[in-house]
Amino acid sequence: MANKPIVDFEAIKNNLSNVSKPIQVLNENAEITDQEVFDSFSDEDLVEFMKKMVWERALHEQTMNFSRQGRMGFYAPTEGEEASEMGTVLAMKKQDYLLPAYRDVPQLIQHGATVTEAYLWSRGHVLGNKFKARSMMPQIIIGAAYVEAAGVGLGIKKNKEEDTIAFTYTGDGGTSQGDSYEGMNFAGAYQAPVLFIVQNNGFAISTPRAKQTAAPTLAQKAVAAGIPSVQVDGMDILACYAVAKAARDYMVAGNGPVLIETLTYRFGAHSSAGDDPKRYRTKEQEQPWFEKDPLIRLRKVLTDKGLWSEDEEDKLVDEYKASFKDAIKEADNVPADKVSDMLKRTFEIPTPEMKQEIDKFEAKESK
């Protein structure tokens, strides 16, 4: 019997780490690493990217203030993920279908919902689901948006909708959910035009990426579904936009789904519910990521080009936060949802038991 094994599994395992470096256009020192791609953006493009990231950072800060005041329901902080979120959503078109998760409210607003509608969604009000954006409401179940996106993508293909895709998000923890793989596998099998975006921010609440999976990259998980995938510097809005646009162009040409893993970082807590990041990560772990802040690197480029100033940014922040204060006031003035109305929306034709419940609550509400 031969001493040499028929298969060298260790070599196969070691080869899994032989992956390309994440795509990048602008590094953490604001140095251009891909001149050709950088030159494809006009000065106006660069300024617009910066405005969108400043907008999202201001949205986060003001919304967290509202949350501390008890004026919000559930809210998932986004500070640090501006490049990943704005870069990808800006590469989409209004006819595309968004299937967001709960940390993707900024993308939902950019895709057509209003800030007031987003705040109402946070509060669990029915009007928070009635936006004009071509989107579902944010999905609370981890990974479930991938399943929804697969179905929407198949619908796009069967209906022969031109120049249209579905795009969806999950975090690194979401890739450990069965729904995520099922959605990717379905889209891959039917070659549906779905862009799967994994925002790898390092932690699934408190579970670090290294403990979630032995896979060297999360992008590799798409391979089993026959889907091309790539890692991107998620703190570089230029790279995120360029890769998302390239993926969209590839898909509308009839080539099936794509997965993008953005390497980003959640600067604060997982949610406004109150988890404490200091309990599961150290200052030494956080500091390198704070230095990669997506706003810092693009701000330096624009300032060096004479296209940006601190005064201009401060003015924008004030304007944005004033608009968010107007939005929360508008949400405050919306009449509260009634229990009887929620019951009426459950079934098209209420069951006899539910009709009794509706009558009971209507009697209480009329007093």
Side-chain angles (χ1 to χ4, degrees):
M1 187 173 180
N3 292 325
K4 185 178 180 181
I6 191 170
V7 179
D8 189 342
F9 288 107
E10 190 63 21
I12 294 173
K13 182 178 181 179
N14 292 336
N15 192 52
L16 293 175
S17 297
N18 185 21
V19 295
S20 301
K21 291 182 178 180
I23 294 176
Q24 185 183 70
V25 178
L26 200 64
N27 69 18
E28 58 267 31
N29 298 316
E31 297 167 338
I32 299 169
T33 57
D34 190 324
Q35 191 68 53
E36 183 177 356
V37 174
F38 182 85
D39 290 342
S40 69
F41 297 110
S42 66
D43 287 348
E44 290 75 16
D45 292 333
L46 299 177
V47 170
E48 186 62 20
F49 286 142
M50 187 66 191
K51 286 182 177 180
K52 293 298 185 184
M53 289 198 294
V54 169
W55 172 85
E56 182 172 347
R57 182 68 59 88
L59 177 68
H60 160 81
E61 292 173 351
Q62 189 60 57
T63 305
M64 282 299 293
N65 286 339
F66 293 149
S67 181
R68 295 185 187 102
Q69 295 166 5
R71 302 173 74 185
M72 297 290 294
F74 178 82
Y75 171 67
T78 63
E79 184 180 22
E81 300 188 32
E82 294 88 356
S84 173
E85 296 185 345
M86 292 297 98
T88 51
V89 73
L90 292 175
M92 302 299 110
K93 294 186 178 180
K94 292 302 181 184
Q95 66 264 30
D96 295 330
Y97 293 86
L98 169 60
L99 291 302
Y102 53 74
R103 203 177 304 280
D104 306 317
V105 171
Q107 298 98 295
L108 174 60
I109 296 170
Q110 289 298 322
H111 202 55
T114 67
V115 178
T116 298
E117 289 164 344
Y119 286 162
L120 288 171
W121 172 83
S122 170
R123 295 175 174 184
H125 198 290
V126 65
L127 294 182
N129 299 327
K130 296 185 177 182
F131 37 75
K132 294 181 180 179
R134 214 171 195 189
S135 172
M136 291 282 282
M137 67 288 293
Q139 176 60 260
I140 293 295
I141 301 172
I142 307 296
Y146 272 34
V147 177
E148 294 174 336
V152 171
L154 180 60
I156 292 171
K157 184 173 182 178
K158 290 180 71 66
N159 292 330
K160 296 181 171 57
E161 291 191 49
E162 296 183 356
D163 193 25
T164 303
I165 70 165
F167 66 110
T168 185
Y169 297 82
T170 195
D172 44 292
T175 65
S176 297
Q177 294 290 111
D179 279 355
S180 291
Y181 177 72
E182 291 171 14
M184 289 190 290
N185 190 59
F186 188 94
Y190 287 97
Q191 290 295 283
V194 183
L195 176 57
F196 297 101
I197 301 167
V198 178
Q199 295 198 98
N200 179 0
N201 64 23
F203 290 86
I205 305 182
S206 60
T207 304
R209 157 70 177 84
K211 291 186 176 180
Q212 295 175 41
T213 177
T217 74
L218 302 181
Q220 287 171 295
K221 294 194 172 191
V223 174
I227 297 175
S229 59
V230 65
Q231 275 191 321
V232 185
D233 181 351
M235 310 301 267
D236 175 5
I237 191 170
L238 305 185
C240 290
Y241 176 89
V243 172
K245 184 178 184 303
R248 188 186 185 283
D249 291 344
Y250 176 84
M251 288 187 289
V252 297
N255 295 307
V258 171
L259 183 141
I260 298 172
E261 176 189 358
T262 64
L263 300 177
T264 183
Y265 199 76
R266 165 170 51 85
F267 286 177
H270 170 76
S271 78
S272 58
D275 66 289
D276 183 3
K278 293 193 293 295
R279 298 184 63 183
Y280 52 84
R281 63 192 196 196
T282 66
K283 290 182 179 180
E284 290 73 24
Q285 289 175 313
E286 292 177 333
Q287 190 56 40
W289 283 101
F290 291 151
E291 293 171 0
K292 296 177 182 179
D293 188 322
L295 277 71
I296 291 176
R297 66 177 75 177
L298 188 55
R299 183 186 294 126
K300 185 178 186 308
V301 170
L302 293 177
T303 301
D304 290 347
K305 290 169 71 71
L307 300 172
W308 198 257
S309 70
E310 183 178 350
D311 288 343
E312 181 181 2
E313 183 169 334
D314 290 343
K315 182 180 179 182
L316 280 173
V317 170
D318 289 342
E319 291 175 358
Y320 292 147
K321 289 187 176 181
S323 71
F324 305 148
K325 291 174 183 177
D326 289 340
I328 199 76
K329 288 177 183 177
E330 187 176 350
D332 289 342
N333 291 328
V334 172
D337 213 357
K338 296 178 181 178
V339 175
S340 59
D341 287 337
M342 288 190 281
L343 291 171
K344 290 175 184 177
R345 293 192 295 267
T346 304
F347 295 113
E348 184 176 2
I349 300 176
T351 63
E353 295 80 9
M354 189 169 287
K355 183 66 171 64
Q356 292 177 0
E357 290 293 306
I358 292 171
D359 292 342
K360 180 178 71 174
F361 280 103
E362 283 185 329
K364 288 182 179 182
E365 292 160 356
S366 65
K367 295 179 180 178

